[in-house]
Each structure stands twice: as C-alpha cells, then as structure tokens.
Amino acid sequence: MSFTSDTAKEAGKRSTRAGKKNRTTEETRERFKDLLEANFDKIQEDLEQLAPEQRIKALLDLAKFVLPTLRSTELKASEKDFQPIVINLGSGINPEADE
C-alpha cells in the first residue's frame, strides 16, 4: 500500500501531536468510568468481603485510575544551605537559653 494524500490524511487524524489529546485514551477512560459507575454497588460488596490488607491494596490499585500519579522528588542541599527553624516559646522555656 502506497502513501497517498488520502492515507496521509488518515494517518494525520490518528497521529499524536503536542497538545492534542488521544481520542482512544479518552474514550477508554470514559468507558471505564461508566463501567465502574454501573457496578459501584457490586464493587463495594466485593471490597467488603476482602481481608483488610487486600482491601487496601485493591483501593490503591483503583486509585491509580482516578488520582494523578505523582513523581518523587529529591531535595539536594548542603549543610551551608540548611537554616534551622528556632521556636522560642517564652522565657525559661527555650532549652538553649542561658539560665
């Protein structure tokens, strides 16, 4: 099959471009949401039958579909960058104060 203007148009419709949402992904998410909503009571019953550890694991697995996944970040600082926070609660309460 050769690449013609018609096949190029079709490929362009299916391609992903920056800022353009993937229609297939959106449709799949919408269908999955509808599936969950239609079976919410049954899912609730099934979760109640699980052991606490299994229930927590199942809820965390389901949360991946609803909540955005956050990336872990690392804080890099040297001792000279560190500024301690000192809270003085009044006279005689500060352990560093001279008596």
Side-chain angles (χ1 to χ4, degrees), residues 69-98:
T69 305
L70 302 177
R71 284 193 207 167
S72 63
T73 57
E74 185 177 327
L75 177 63
K76 295 181 181 179
S78 63
E79 284 188 32
K80 68 179 181 177
D81 296 331
F82 179 72
Q83 296 291 325
I85 298 173
V86 178
I87 300 174
N88 187 347
L89 301 175
S91 64
I93 298 175
N94 187 346
E96 295 180 2
D98 293 332

Side-chain angles (χ1 to χ4, degrees), residues 26-37:
E26 284 185 34
E27 185 177 319
T28 303
R29 287 183 185 192
E30 187 63 32
R31 286 185 179 189
F32 187 73
K33 181 182 138 213
D34 293 344
L35 178 71
L36 287 177
E37 288 176 355

Side-chain angles (χ1 to χ4, degrees), residues 1 5 7 12 15 20-21 27 31 35 39 42 47 51-53 63 72 78 84 89 93:
M1 182 165 120
S5 63
T7 57
S15 70
K20 183 157 175 80
K21 292 188 177 184
E27 185 177 319
R31 286 185 179 189
L35 178 71
N39 293 290
K42 179 63 177 156
L47 285 172
E53 308 85 37
S72 63
S78 63
L89 301 175
I93 298 175

